[in-house]
Amino acid sequence: MLTCLKFVVLLLLLSSRSCDGLQFNDIDEEVELVAQSSRYGSLWPLPQKVQLSDVSFKLTTSSFRIVDAKESSAGPSCSLLQNAYRRYYDYIFENAKKSWQAKGKRTGPSELGELQVWITSADSECDGYPSVTSDESYELTVNQPFAVLKAPKVWGALHGLETFSQLVYKDEFGTKNINQTTISDFPRFAHRGILLDSSRHFLPIKVILANLETMAMNKFNVFHWHIVDDQSFPYLSRTFPQLSQKGAYHPYTHVYTPADVKMVIEFARLRGIRVVPEYDTPGHTQSWGKGQADLLTPCYAGSKPSGAFGPVNPILNTTYDFMTQFFKEISTVFPDAYIHLGGDEVDFTCWKSNPDIQKFMEQQGFGQDYSKLESFYIQKLLNIVSTTNKGYMIWQEVFDNGVKLKPDTVIHVWKGNAQQYKNEMANVTSSGYQTLLSTPWYLNRISYGQDWQGFYKADPQDFKGTEEQKKLVIGGEACLWGEYVDATNLTPRLWPRASAVAERLWSAKDVTDISDAFNRLSAHRCRMVERDIPAEPLFSSYCPHEYKGV
Amino acid sequence: MLTCLKFVVLLLLLSSRSCDGLQFNDIDEEVELVAQSSRYGSLWPLPQKVQLSDVSFKLTTSSFRIVDAKESSAGPSCSLLQNAYRRYYDYIFENAKKSWQAKGKRTGPSELGELQVWITSADSECDGYPSVTSDESYELTVNQPFAVLKAPKVWGALHGLETFSQLVYKDEFGTKNINQTTISDFPRFAHRGILLDSSRHFLPIKVILANLETMAMNKFNVFHWHIVDDQSFPYLSRTFPQLSQKGAYHPYTHVYTPADVKMVIEFARLRGIRVVPEYDTPGHTQSWGKGQADLLTPCYAGSKPSGAFGPVNPILNTTYDFMTQFFKEISTVFPDAYIHLGGDEVDFTCWKSNPDIQKFMEQQGFGQDYSKLESFYIQKLLNIVSTTNKGYMIWQEVFDNGVKLKPDTVIHVWKGNAQQYKNEMANVTSSGYQTLLSTPWYLNRISYGQDWQGFYKADPQDFKGTEEQKKLVIGGEACLWGEYVDATNLTPRLWPRASAVAERLWSAKDVTDISDAFNRLSAHRCRMVERDIPAEPLFSSYCPHEYKGV
């Protein structure tokens, strides 16, 4: 069964010059693995329930079709599904585009003729946007005379199509095969995200789209777009065009136009992925100040302004007027129900140096506690964003500083060592807030060896707390901060390392066998490579089709 | 002057979520840098003597030409140079291929019309191969009415063309400019290598060629091709085709045919790069055993063969018959005067288990000292290779074990911490051998942050020894072992990290200013990106033309 996999990965674990004690100092806890065929083939992330049989069927380009089931609530007018059928047909037959239009032959006795896709709920949500409460479940039955993929909503159908494509393998004659299979699947966590940072380095649209495509292959469903930061402001705002005019690395070549943003959002939607933009204030805003006078706090050296600027100036009414207009625009540009408002790492040095701020602190009775000033700002910002009817996510500092938050706020945990982030998860959830974990999944941090194993082992519910608290963990995000990545190296650095996080967030809690994960992930990475994604190797091995680029 | 550079790199060093104490634990010793224009522009590696002036000349696609000087000993029949002229014309004008055939206009008063290339030695070596004794020096004078590049041999001319192309910059109108300049240049070390490993992962020819091209941009001159190892044997031997038939990852798609090897060698020669193949024995040979019966030592479990195999079997005559034929082929396929014979990391466990080996040890009077058996094998191998008239390079263990070596042997140092490798360099050179350093340049090892600074600081002559000993250091090699790299991630992982090693090995010993290096290297990496090489960023920044791939 699944004989193709024997070819996919062949690993020899032998002593080697670069594997001696000196070279592996830093990965002592990792397990060295020999890849073999998993009984689950190349399924990734592993579905919740899988029943596989040895009976196999052939798939041929000329006769196999993916079609709407008669009973489906989504018909030919659902372009999201029609688009997905074509995409997965291409993946299944390795870009055999020519054959798509060929006339259907009658299928032979051991041939699978159709995959019928059946959206069972009256509202397929075909033209909607995915959300944190979307139903992503699906049931897949592969049997003769046809396979059936049932899902309440299109979101589950998209995941089921990916799973179906992962079941297909080549036999020794090059024919595509699929085994009789029954799968029932749904995600363990509702929020499974990737953070990309387009401020430290500008990421061309092509790179963002390729990574959205890869996210879909891994059943990620949130693109957290850390779009602006200190270093550059590539977002072209209709209301405040001078922000990118002055704040982008280049006002024409290094910006995201409204059309670009729209394209990213639609490309993501077609793959069941939400786009949650982050506009981080009051810190991380140096690039904002270039195009918006008086937005940032002037820092002082002694009794005179030094020429440098600090965080957003929290004591001016103009600041809040600006934020009101700005977030009104953002709330219409991005359809998602949430905006990420940042709020992390506010440096008080500049505020402390400024005599106007000092006076304001006195008037407000804040004493020397600048975190009160920070909270003052954030509180006003949250009120502004609330009027746009958006929910918000914020980095953990905002919670830590005791800012008053709406009950539906999502607290994003990113700081500390293992013990510290577990305590934080416990604190946040015992206060009744929903939370997202990122601390163990800072994929920008690299080390020699198989660091995916560490990402794989982290579990967002692994902290002391009640069942109620655990339920408040809505998922997590793998973060690839941009200091050291751009179009040249982002994709191989992200994949398949992020795939480890994908399985942790999708599959059942007890899917923790590192050795089986290695086998499936090795095959999954070769599949990504075959789909033209430069996903890097886990260890010495080969793929039947190596990456075609450089 | 060189105003273009202000655009090339813009760095803001500000607090950022991924730059706090937690995230930078492991790179405390690195300097954080703000990129500015270096007075040496984007020159990399820095030439030995540079005089720059503020006077600038324009270059236009329609009139600028690279031509042979009348006095040159290499004329139009020297296809190595003609090929290089076209390559660099393209790089200078960013692939403006169309204009090459346009009719020459008369050049204006502040225009540079020609670069004349003048090979001054009677033998240009145009049709030869570069060697460790090749003259790579050149002198470049950029002035009106024309620029002159003088070099004794074509090898220096190739380096001079690269340097000339690095002097060209765009002004604010997009016009190409070059400043009046005088450069006198030569390498500090004769051997400046990159090791790539095509055994742990197969590297498609396209990847190898792209990296040879990039090596030329960095004035590297040795491609150390670690072509086979335990994991796979992709070299298609004419004499022993079964070696790759059985030992490659795949006998057709994952092999280097004789035509492939020829192409690599010629592509490298045209760029002044030697190809030194490594066939490492007696360890690291698991893949050899698959196609060559009785070559490896059968290991024993108790009194019976276990089915596993160890290093090459040193006690059989057939072993030496095989090696004689095999290295006869290798010596004709690869024109370089040197072959790398490996000799590292021999595990004695299997030899110890084998009763025939035990008996042989007794007969030879080796006692229990298996390093004597290792030396016995290596000694015979070296004698075999000597008959092919090739010189050899070997990893340091062969020297450490006291094997008798020809005086022209090159000892390749790769082990230990800083103190240990310095001691080894001192020992090797005090014994009168030439040596190459790699220990501090294992580029497969990665860590978060700007690790190029560590590579840049290492100096191969930084050990206790006499001037005579220091002269025996012929250079070094940056090694990118293949466990975790293949076509998907090799190129961005190698560049610009290897560029740091390139400057250390080419430029004068006192070129050690990290801040100036950062400025030039940032611009150099953007140039590599513009030339379609996915060289990764040093830090937050942008390039005028970002990488076009994914």
Side-chain angles (χ1 to χ4, degrees), chain B residues 338-394:
Chain B
Y338 283 83
I339 299 175
H340 202 301
L341 296 175
D344 59 311
E345 296 185 317
V346 183
D347 183 352
F348 298 145
T349 321
C350 183
W351 279 350
K352 284 180 185 169
S353 77
N354 181 305
D356 297 326
I357 302 266
Q358 291 162 8
K359 200 182 295 168
F360 185 84
M361 291 282 289
E362 222 169 288
Q363 288 166 357
Q364 297 284 327
F366 291 165
Q368 287 304 304
D369 187 354
Y370 283 81
S371 72
K372 286 188 177 156
L373 180 61
E374 181 185 353
S375 294
F376 171 87
Y377 166 79
I378 294 272
Q379 194 61 66
K380 289 183 75 107
L381 178 71
L382 297 187
N383 292 341
I384 287 168
V385 175
S386 292
T387 65
T388 68
N389 288 319
K390 294 285 186 184
Y392 38 78
M393 306 187 182
I394 39 92

Side-chain angles (χ1 to χ4, degrees), chain B residues 18-61:
Chain B
S18 40
C19 297
D20 71 338
L22 169 74
Q23 302 299 334
F24 272 88
N25 284 342
D26 45 359
I27 53 162
D28 289 340
E29 288 175 32
E30 287 169 16
V31 182
E32 287 204 5
L33 301 159
V34 180
Q36 295 168 326
S37 292
S38 162
R39 70 190 188 96
Y40 294 115
S42 62
L43 287 170
W44 193 278
L46 193 68
Q48 300 284 345
K49 287 179 206 161
V50 185
Q51 281 182 289
L52 291 161
S53 114
D54 282 349
V55 179
S56 72
F57 313 119
K58 294 189 196 314
L59 300 175
T60 66
T61 51

Side-chain angles (χ1 to χ4, degrees), chain A residues 7 10 12 14-20 22-27 200-202 204 206-207 210-211 226 229-232 249-250 253-254 278 280 284 286 290 342 344-345 347 395 414-417 439 442 444-450 481-489 491-493 525 529 533-550, chain B residues 10 12 14-20 22-27 30 200-202 204 206-207 210-211 226 229-232 249-250 253-254 278 280 284 286 290 342 344-345 347 395 414-417 439 442 444-450 481-489 491-493 525 529 533-550:
Chain A
F7 287 87
L10 174 71
L12 294 163
L14 302 152
S15 72
S16 78
R17 184 172 312 94
S18 41
C19 297
D20 71 336
L22 169 74
Q23 302 298 337
F24 272 89
N25 283 341
D26 46 358
I27 52 160
R200 272 72 178 220
H201 288 97
F202 179 78
K206 187 176 170 181
V207 171
N211 281 281
H226 188 85
D229 205 298
D230 283 324
Q231 286 79 359
S232 75
Y249 279 133
H250 188 285
T253 59
H254 287 64
E278 178 180 353
D280 189 358
H284 291 278
Q286 290 291 302
K290 296 183 179 176
D344 58 311
E345 294 186 318
D347 183 354
W395 295 109
W414 69 276
K415 286 174 80 168
N417 59 29
T439 311
Y442 263 42
N444 48 301
R445 291 197 39 90
I446 52 172
S447 60
Y448 191 56
Q450 298 200 34
W481 295 100
E483 284 82 353
Y484 301 105
V485 289
D486 68 3
T488 62
N489 62 346
T491 309
R493 191 159 293 182
R525 103 88 189 177
V529 169
I533 303 300
E536 66 181 21
L538 297 177
F539 198 56
S540 304
S541 63
Y542 81 106
C543 297
H545 298 94
E546 301 292 352
Y547 184 60
K548 298 283 184 303
V550 167
Chain B
L10 173 72
L12 294 163
L14 302 152
S15 72
S16 77
R17 183 172 312 97
S18 40
C19 297
D20 71 338
L22 169 74
Q23 302 299 334
F24 272 88
N25 284 342
D26 45 359
I27 53 162
E30 287 169 16
R200 271 74 179 219
H201 288 97
F202 179 78
K206 186 176 170 182
V207 171
N211 281 283
H226 188 86
D229 205 299
D230 282 323
Q231 286 78 0
S232 76
Y249 279 133
H250 187 286
T253 59
H254 288 63
E278 178 180 352
D280 189 358
H284 291 277
Q286 290 292 304
K290 296 183 180 177
D344 59 311
E345 296 185 317
D347 183 352
W395 295 108
W414 70 275
K415 286 174 80 167
N417 60 27
T439 311
Y442 263 41
N444 47 302
R445 293 199 33 91
I446 54 172
S447 60
Y448 190 56
Q450 300 199 35
W481 295 100
E483 282 84 352
Y484 302 104
V485 290
D486 68 3
T488 62
N489 62 347
T491 310
R493 191 159 292 182
R525 103 89 189 177
V529 169
I533 302 301
E536 66 181 21
L538 297 177
F539 197 57
S540 303
S541 63
Y542 80 106
C543 298
H545 297 94
E546 302 291 354
Y547 184 59
K548 298 283 186 299
V550 164

Side-chain angles (χ1 to χ4, degrees), chain A residues 209-242:
Chain A
L209 300 188
N211 281 281
L212 286 167
E213 181 78 17
T214 319
M215 284 173 66
M217 296 175 201
N218 290 273
K219 296 188 171 67
F220 276 109
N221 68 351
V222 179
F223 170 35
H224 176 161
W225 194 352
H226 188 85
I227 191 166
V228 301
D229 205 298
D230 283 324
Q231 286 79 359
S232 75
F233 196 103
Y235 172 77
L236 200 168
S237 161
R238 290 179 210 254
T239 321
F240 301 101
Q242 70 277 20

